[in-house]
Amino acid sequence: MNRFLSFIVGLIGLFLIIPDMSAQNGYEIRGTVTDKTGQPVIGATVLEKGTTNGLSTDIDGNYTLKVSSADAVVEVSCIGYKTVTFVAKTNPAKVVIEEDTMYLDDVVVIGYGSVKKSDMTGSVTAINAEEVNRGAVTSPSSMLLGKVSGLNITPANGQPGASSTIRIRGAASLTASNDPLIVIDGVPVTKDGGAGMGDPLATVNPNDIESYSVLKDASATAIYGSRASNGVIIITTKKGSGKGIHVSYSGSVSAKQNRDVIKMMNSDQFFNYIQEHRPEAVGLLGVDGTMYDTDWQKQIYRIGINTDHNISLYSGGVVPFRVSMGYNLDQATIKVGDNQRGNIDVSLSPKFFDDHLSINLNAKGVYQHTNWANNPVESALSFDPTKPIYFTDADGNIDKSVISNGYWNWISAGVPNTMAAANPLSSVYDYVNYGHTYRGVGNLQIDYKVHGLEALRANLNLGMDIAKTNGTKYNEIGSRGSLTSAPDLYEKYQNFNKNMLLEAYLDYNETWGKHNFNAMAGYSWQHNYIKYENSQYYNNDRATEYHIAPVNAKEYYLISFFGRLNYNYDSRYLFTFTARGDASSRFSPSNRWGFFPAAAFAWNIANEEFLKENRTVSALKFRLGWGRTGQQDIGDDYYPYIARYYESASVTMQYPMGADGKSYNLLSPLAYNPNIKWETTETYNVGLDFGFLNDRITGTVEAYYRNTFDLLNNISIPLGSNFGKQVISNIGSMVNKGIELSANFVPVETKDWNWKIGGNITFQDVKITKLTNSDETYLGVETGPSMGANVGFSSLHRKGFAPYTYYMYQQLYDAEGKPVQNAFVDRNGDGKINADDRYMTGCSATPWAYYGISTQVRYKNWDFGINGHGSIGAELVNKVALGYSSSYSDNWTKGYIDNLCAKWLLPGWHAPNSENQKYSDLWIEDATFFKIDDINLGYTFNMKNNLKLRLAGSVQNVFTFTKYSGLDPEINNIDGVDNYVYPRPRLYTLRLNITF
Amino acid sequence: MKIINKILILSFAAILFSSCLKDLDTLPLNTTDFTSENAYANEENYLKALSYINGYYMLVGQDDPGNNDLGFSDSGQSEFLRQWFNLNEMTCDGLKCVWGDSYLTELQHDSWGTGSNDALVAVYTRAVKAIALANEFLLQTTDSKLDARGQSGIKGEIAGYRAEARFHRAMFFYVLMDEFGNPPFPMPENIGGENPSRITRADLFKWLETELLDLGSDNSAMPAKGAVPYPRPTKGSVWALLSRMYLNAEVYTGTARWQDAKDAAQKVIEMGYTLAPKYSDMFRQDNTENGSAEKEFIFAIAYDRVSTQSWGGTSTFASASLSEDANLKLGAEFGLPKINGENWAGYHVPDDYVARFDLNGVVWGSKTNVFGYDRATSDKRAFFTNYGSTKEFDGNKVSTGWMCWKFCGLDSKDKLAQQDGVPGNWKLSSADMPVFRLAEMYLNYAEADARLNGGTVKDSKALEYVKELRNRAGVPMPTTIRLEWLLDERAREFMWEGHRRVDLIRFGKFTDVNYPWTLKGGILNGKIAIPSYRTIFPIIQSDLSSNSNLIQNEGY
């Protein structure tokens, strides 16, 4: 580490040798730069034209600059404003700079280039990563939460390092990946980044992010072809900028606390209940007649701390650079479970030969260490509250000599009762599971404007994404886990991912009068390689090999050619055509190439003569788009089309075929599908962008229709014609349609006051329109988890329904409307209740609408913001409620007893829940909710000498409005079965930013 | 300058675009992955491929007993043998379960539908997949393939392997014929080709008879008894299967074949199998080591808690019945902490079945007599306990009826066979499961004789065979042996060995309103007729949907 540090210091030192602009004797100018509302503009550049003599305005917009002479031309510029020039001797006291409408519609980063917002034809939402209006941000995805219409983010559960689920315009696929493509500074990153990095966005430190572009429709995404069916999120990180060297520090500290727990019976309640309703089991309560009162949830949870420190150095000098370092510690609210992340980000962006050659070098390194408890959430609910935490000796001290390292556990005949749950604290403290990941993402982009033919640009991008994870898992010796594991193992694993990219394109721009052309053509080569290694040893000595798995490695290649043609006439009529040909090594040579075209048209109505001078309508654009994108990310099998044999190396699954019982490993042909091909999504998009009253009101209305065909899914094969039960096939089609509305409104904008309101809502509808089997009686594809402990499925993919539509029995109710236990409607009327009586409930976890809303108020140096998001119409299956619905339990015959939860016990339910009862529609609950994600308040201190200091406080995950009876109506399971979620805590954060 | 630029750009482009479209032809990287071309380069791999087919009765996948290739969330429940056992026992009188799993409830109430009953899915899917595996093996081991691989020298050995693969294929086809009546009929040419055709029960019987007679003939490559190590199949297995098929021929084809059943049984008996001296030894954890398996088992399915693991099979049969209390109390009886690693408290035997055994001094509710009867003087094939249970059966209660410990964690020395070798594996079983054993040939022989002689056993050899079994069980020989008595004797001798359903159907009792049992047809007293279409199970829905050649069985 030391060597690494000195390298960084050296690197920084290198850039410190930047020509120092010593003050010259000459004419001094001074003044204030303000915008048209009179608000001082901080950080505007005041520059003597043609020289490098300049500075930035201070916090009050003031500047004092010595220029060479009274006749020198002074230029005042600031990003987002029109540049103003004046002659030094005319030095106005107040320079008013106007917002640049060209800049108002910022340049938006799109695939292989960027485009002015006003010239955009596709559905792209750009978000700048603002400092204000946010609390502790540990994942880049949380900055997008609720901010973009059509983008639905389900935040990760409360486990540090857990991943959030990101969906752009819903899921387009059943089995293949539904994750959008994430492109960081031109490098598409892999999803599987290693332990604690499930979220591909977690590769980048949120503090380093400059902007996001969310590409939603096919006309925008088709340039990424094969990987873009689920939309694209492009992240651009910060680059060196400004004069001189700047230092920026931001730090935060948060306390995390669970917002809510499920209230279980306490010791007294439980004792009384058992005594009254199940007297046979009273003998199991307490220890030798003593009733303890242990709140197991209280025992496993704590207040977690999250601290985050980031420091960056940047400059826009001769070699613009930015170096940043960050450290984040995120503690779980469960007593064991921390995520520590250190990262470094270096960016160099020099230009040579009169700016003809630009080089962009980005390198990001992340080190992450994560440890996990053996998830005790479920056992903390169910564990008997009349039990003590520890076995104690006669003196009341913890007796570690007793089985399971002193933690009280159910014992049967001298060994832990394997049927019973583990003491939750055994799961927390007596289990060791940690992993560390090193990941590096970097790219070198060389952009060359051809000398003598400046309209032509050649761009070469070389990128890579490498991650390595080492992990260790074992039970502490003597622990319950160790005693009950068969066999008890000490496991070490190593994952290695390497993703290489080579892309090159040529870009040509030409303008003839009002005709503007831009053509781009390129080539892309990608290689993805994954390797897993796993070694298991007996835990008792941690040296004797149990099973050393052979190295498991796989790879795939993607090769593509792509091109785009933009034409616009007078910035009024805009056309875009793109095409991409992709080949994936995952498909057989005959199905290998996919062709993905797209076309879009936009009419920039605001630029028409009749609206040009209109003061009410400041922007108005109509957009139409069509395109096709593909999907080849079809799961873990990289060779699905090849007829393969697999020889296992397992030492537990052999068969005795030899003399004296000698056992052999197993060799078997594997299921394969020689005909597997691209899944294709066709999207139609129509949109209207508007801005009124000088863009005080802006917004977009869009409608989309997406049809995914040759849908990839695992389906049952005609048995006997292949070697599996199911094989991945192109089976049908699915339609996603929706309407998106988003609007931003600035009701107040004065010198002291600024108030913004933003909101967006997406209405969606998803239906499977075809499954391969034309038989109308075809049940569909069985999916969704089992509701019992054993086999079973909770939902179906069936024609005419949303994916994962719950397939249940219809609960029977008595005259008073109370559900009758184990009684269901005989829907087919054959006098029997069996699997044929299950029905399509029409309910699924897919909401019909989701929305986000935010507001921000600024008064002088104060800022205040609230953000929230919600969803309407999603329905969840509350499996936790099912678990506590009946007071019946036969566990006592197996030597233990579990706690109960009064809120979910149903009157009259005193029998065991039948397996059918577990698949009842009774458990489906409306999960409509609205969440206040954060409330924040900040103050910016006025400091001299370009020093900027901001202090902010926030509360995150503030409140949830819902009727859902479970812990949280928002779950990450696509199948909608709520099963003991790791609670999302509330965060209280204090945050400090210093820039100078 | 411009020309130089153009050259630069062109060469730049040329370098990039020429970079390997060949990359796309990537092949698997792992040393454990093969294509069908190189999978058999190593000669030992033929045995490895045969191992998978031979073990497919109990293997749920290739890697881990907790990971199955059918996508079941509980791997133990995806095992062929466990669910074959449930289909044949739980639909009848010897086994009920209180877990409440809907598929088990459907079986014990005889109310299964065409939906996806897990037991039906597991048995059907695994049987057809095993047939496909055998077909692939036969495709890959032809003489011409061996010649092409330069392995002509091992043709003799491979011929035996091929015969074994054909036996397993026949065995799985027999299961399909018996359980599903008119299943798909995949042959080697269906692999990667057209969907398998449908075959009727009678036609499949005909095909199986021809196939097995060929395998069992004197000049076939099928190994004779002793020519391959236990538990691999031999000609004994072939003839044992023929005997069972002929005994039930009337059910399958409408034409009785009693003499053939008798002759086939005799043929096996003459091969030199002997009864295990002690009945219980056959079901104990060391049934391979104590010699009883090799003596009496004609074909068996191997289990080993270290190297041949499963959460189904005998691990389940041992764990599924006893409650915690009964397990501890039985353990104390043997001077041990318990007799099974786990106690799942689910499998129960109603009293009407247990009553068929000669049990002396039955008591209910005793706190001192753990078994609930006097074991020493009772039938030695009885392994029951009613500890903590009530006689009256109540499917909603755990403490009801008898629990059975015929399969258990003990070895033949009444010691707990645990923690030997691998710590923690004691939950899993090492007891092998017999598919055919000599006792069946004895009773097939006797029954066929009775059928040929108006319902009473006449053949002196048959009487001698039955007497051997009675002696081993420590119970007296009846003076006359009639068919009905033989049905009961099979219930005693083969309890929980998967014979019950086919026996009841053959005797016409399965559907008969006058042959009630607890929960028959979902009625507690079982006084109900079961429609005859339920003597075969429905073709599973998913295969019916994917293979248009199939037709649902009548009645479903």
Side-chain angles (χ1 to χ4, degrees), chain B residues 355-369:
Chain B
R356 293 195 173 84
F357 286 85
D358 290 333
L359 301 187
N360 292 318
V362 172
V363 283
W364 288 87
S366 168
K367 291 277 174 197
T368 50
N369 185 343

PDB file of all heavy atoms in Angstrom, chain B residues 355-369:
ATOM      1  N   ALA B 355     -51.614 -54.705  11.384  1.00  0.00           N
ATOM      2  CA  ALA B 355     -52.361 -55.834  11.942  1.00  0.00           C
ATOM      3  C   ALA B 355     -52.109 -57.134  11.176  1.00  0.00           C
ATOM      4  O   ALA B 355     -52.387 -58.215  11.661  1.00  0.00           O
ATOM      5  CB  ALA B 355     -53.848 -55.503  11.963  1.00  0.00           C
ATOM      6  N   ARG B 356     -51.572 -57.025   9.943  1.00  0.00           N
ATOM      7  CA  ARG B 356     -51.283 -58.234   9.169  1.00  0.00           C
ATOM      8  C   ARG B 356     -50.087 -59.005   9.719  1.00  0.00           C
ATOM      9  O   ARG B 356     -49.888 -60.169   9.402  1.00  0.00           O
ATOM     10  CB  ARG B 356     -50.985 -57.870   7.709  1.00  0.00           C
ATOM     11  CG  ARG B 356     -52.187 -57.319   6.987  1.00  0.00           C
ATOM     12  CD  ARG B 356     -51.975 -57.313   5.485  1.00  0.00           C
ATOM     13  NE  ARG B 356     -53.217 -56.936   4.840  1.00  0.00           N
ATOM     14  CZ  ARG B 356     -53.615 -55.675   4.664  1.00  0.00           C
ATOM     15  NH1 ARG B 356     -52.837 -54.691   5.062  1.00  0.00           N
ATOM     16  NH2 ARG B 356     -54.760 -55.424   4.106  1.00  0.00           N
ATOM     17  N   PHE B 357     -49.294 -58.335  10.504  1.00  0.00           N
ATOM     18  CA  PHE B 357     -48.122 -59.006  11.092  1.00  0.00           C
ATOM     19  C   PHE B 357     -48.540 -59.763  12.348  1.00  0.00           C
ATOM     20  O   PHE B 357     -49.472 -59.359  13.039  1.00  0.00           O
ATOM     21  CB  PHE B 357     -47.057 -57.966  11.473  1.00  0.00           C
ATOM     22  CG  PHE B 357     -46.320 -57.375  10.300  1.00  0.00           C
ATOM     23  CD1 PHE B 357     -46.854 -56.296   9.607  1.00  0.00           C
ATOM     24  CD2 PHE B 357     -45.099 -57.894   9.905  1.00  0.00           C
ATOM     25  CE1 PHE B 357     -46.182 -55.744   8.526  1.00  0.00           C
ATOM     26  CE2 PHE B 357     -44.409 -57.329   8.834  1.00  0.00           C
ATOM     27  CZ  PHE B 357     -44.959 -56.265   8.132  1.00  0.00           C
ATOM     28  N   ASP B 358     -47.846 -60.852  12.643  1.00  0.00           N
ATOM     29  CA  ASP B 358     -48.068 -61.551  13.912  1.00  0.00           C
ATOM     30  C   ASP B 358     -47.343 -60.772  14.999  1.00  0.00           C
ATOM     31  O   ASP B 358     -46.134 -60.936  15.197  1.00  0.00           O
ATOM     32  CB  ASP B 358     -47.491 -62.972  13.844  1.00  0.00           C
ATOM     33  CG  ASP B 358     -48.297 -63.844  12.909  1.00  0.00           C
ATOM     34  OD1 ASP B 358     -49.503 -63.556  12.737  1.00  0.00           O
ATOM     35  OD2 ASP B 358     -47.719 -64.776  12.324  1.00  0.00           O
ATOM     36  N   LEU B 359     -48.072 -59.869  15.644  1.00  0.00           N
ATOM     37  CA  LEU B 359     -47.474 -59.102  16.737  1.00  0.00           C
ATOM     38  C   LEU B 359     -48.113 -59.564  18.038  1.00  0.00           C
ATOM     39  O   LEU B 359     -49.333 -59.651  18.130  1.00  0.00           O
ATOM     40  CB  LEU B 359     -47.716 -57.593  16.560  1.00  0.00           C
ATOM     41  CG  LEU B 359     -47.189 -56.940  15.298  1.00  0.00           C
ATOM     42  CD1 LEU B 359     -47.372 -55.429  15.378  1.00  0.00           C
ATOM     43  CD2 LEU B 359     -45.709 -57.264  15.077  1.00  0.00           C
ATOM     44  N   ASN B 360     -47.287 -59.828  19.017  1.00  0.00           N
ATOM     45  CA  ASN B 360     -47.813 -60.296  20.304  1.00  0.00           C
ATOM     46  C   ASN B 360     -47.815 -59.171  21.327  1.00  0.00           C
ATOM     47  O   ASN B 360     -46.872 -58.371  21.374  1.00  0.00           O
ATOM     48  CB  ASN B 360     -46.954 -61.454  20.821  1.00  0.00           C
ATOM     49  CG  ASN B 360     -47.119 -62.669  19.933  1.00  0.00           C
ATOM     50  OD1 ASN B 360     -48.233 -62.986  19.508  1.00  0.00           O
ATOM     51  ND2 ASN B 360     -46.010 -63.313  19.615  1.00  0.00           N
ATOM     52  N   GLY B 361     -48.864 -59.140  22.129  1.00  0.00           N
ATOM     53  CA  GLY B 361     -48.938 -58.220  23.264  1.00  0.00           C
ATOM     54  C   GLY B 361     -48.969 -56.761  22.873  1.00  0.00           C
ATOM     55  O   GLY B 361     -48.283 -55.925  23.463  1.00  0.00           O
ATOM     56  N   VAL B 362     -49.768 -56.424  21.851  1.00  0.00           N
ATOM     57  CA  VAL B 362     -49.844 -55.022  21.419  1.00  0.00           C
ATOM     58  C   VAL B 362     -50.499 -54.164  22.506  1.00  0.00           C
ATOM     59  O   VAL B 362     -51.535 -54.520  23.040  1.00  0.00           O
ATOM     60  CB  VAL B 362     -50.647 -54.905  20.105  1.00  0.00           C
ATOM     61  CG1 VAL B 362     -50.893 -53.457  19.744  1.00  0.00           C
ATOM     62  CG2 VAL B 362     -49.926 -55.625  18.980  1.00  0.00           C
ATOM     63  N   VAL B 363     -49.842 -53.082  22.856  1.00  0.00           N
ATOM     64  CA  VAL B 363     -50.438 -52.100  23.776  1.00  0.00           C
ATOM     65  C   VAL B 363     -50.313 -50.706  23.187  1.00  0.00           C
ATOM     66  O   VAL B 363     -49.359 -50.418  22.442  1.00  0.00           O
ATOM     67  CB  VAL B 363     -49.740 -52.082  25.164  1.00  0.00           C
ATOM     68  CG1 VAL B 363     -50.177 -53.261  25.999  1.00  0.00           C
ATOM     69  CG2 VAL B 363     -48.233 -52.007  25.006  1.00  0.00           C
ATOM     70  N   TRP B 364     -51.270 -49.854  23.474  1.00  0.00           N
ATOM     71  CA  TRP B 364     -51.200 -48.456  23.035  1.00  0.00           C
ATOM     72  C   TRP B 364     -51.050 -47.580  24.248  1.00  0.00           C
ATOM     73  O   TRP B 364     -51.616 -47.864  25.297  1.00  0.00           O
ATOM     74  CB  TRP B 364     -52.449 -48.079  22.240  1.00  0.00           C
ATOM     75  CG  TRP B 364     -52.469 -48.721  20.880  1.00  0.00           C
ATOM     76  CD1 TRP B 364     -52.961 -49.953  20.584  1.00  0.00           C
ATOM     77  CD2 TRP B 364     -51.963 -48.181  19.669  1.00  0.00           C
ATOM     78  NE1 TRP B 364     -52.794 -50.225  19.262  1.00  0.00           N
ATOM     79  CE2 TRP B 364     -52.191 -49.146  18.665  1.00  0.00           C
ATOM     80  CE3 TRP B 364     -51.334 -46.983  19.320  1.00  0.00           C
ATOM     81  CZ2 TRP B 364     -51.801 -48.945  17.337  1.00  0.00           C
ATOM     82  CZ3 TRP B 364     -50.966 -46.763  18.018  1.00  0.00           C
ATOM     83  CH2 TRP B 364     -51.194 -47.750  17.033  1.00  0.00           C
ATOM     84  N   GLY B 365     -50.300 -46.540  24.113  1.00  0.00           N
ATOM     85  CA  GLY B 365     -50.169 -45.560  25.191  1.00  0.00           C
ATOM     86  C   GLY B 365     -49.222 -45.987  26.304  1.00  0.00           C
ATOM     87  O   GLY B 365     -49.195 -45.377  27.363  1.00  0.00           O
ATOM     88  N   SER B 366     -48.426 -47.015  26.054  1.00  0.00           N
ATOM     89  CA  SER B 366     -47.505 -47.452  27.094  1.00  0.00           C
ATOM     90  C   SER B 366     -46.324 -46.499  27.182  1.00  0.00           C
ATOM     91  O   SER B 366     -45.804 -46.039  26.162  1.00  0.00           O
ATOM     92  CB  SER B 366     -46.993 -48.856  26.774  1.00  0.00           C
ATOM     93  OG  SER B 366     -45.903 -49.155  27.620  1.00  0.00           O
ATOM     94  N   LYS B 367     -45.906 -46.205  28.422  1.00  0.00           N
ATOM     95  CA  LYS B 367     -44.737 -45.336  28.588  1.00  0.00           C
ATOM     96  C   LYS B 367     -43.471 -46.188  28.729  1.00  0.00           C
ATOM     97  O   LYS B 367     -42.360 -45.665  28.677  1.00  0.00           O
ATOM     98  CB  LYS B 367     -44.896 -44.453  29.844  1.00  0.00           C
ATOM     99  CG  LYS B 367     -45.971 -43.397  29.710  1.00  0.00           C
ATOM    100  CD  LYS B 367     -45.449 -42.160  28.984  1.00  0.00           C
ATOM    101  CE  LYS B 367     -46.579 -41.173  28.743  1.00  0.00           C
ATOM    102  NZ  LYS B 367     -46.252 -40.177  27.720  1.00  0.00           N
ATOM    103  N   THR B 368     -43.659 -47.496  28.945  1.00  0.00           N
ATOM    104  CA  THR B 368     -42.485 -48.344  29.179  1.00  0.00           C
ATOM    105  C   THR B 368     -42.175 -49.211  27.974  1.00  0.00           C
ATOM    106  O   THR B 368     -41.015 -49.416  27.635  1.00  0.00           O
ATOM    107  CB  THR B 368     -42.706 -49.240  30.407  1.00  0.00           C
ATOM    108  OG1 THR B 368     -43.983 -49.902  30.260  1.00  0.00           O
ATOM    109  CG2 THR B 368     -42.688 -48.429  31.682  1.00  0.00           C
ATOM    110  N   ASN B 369     -43.202 -49.702  27.291  1.00  0.00           N
ATOM    111  CA  ASN B 369     -42.964 -50.534  26.119  1.00  0.00           C
ATOM    112  C   ASN B 369     -42.828 -49.641  24.900  1.00  0.00           C
ATOM    113  O   ASN B 369     -43.807 -49.168  24.327  1.00  0.00           O
ATOM    114  CB  ASN B 369     -44.114 -51.533  25.938  1.00  0.00           C
ATOM    115  CG  ASN B 369     -43.835 -52.500  24.802  1.00  0.00           C
ATOM    116  OD1 ASN B 369     -42.974 -52.252  23.970  1.00  0.00           O
ATOM    117  ND2 ASN B 369     -44.566 -53.596  24.793  1.00  0.00           N
TER     118      ASN B 369
END
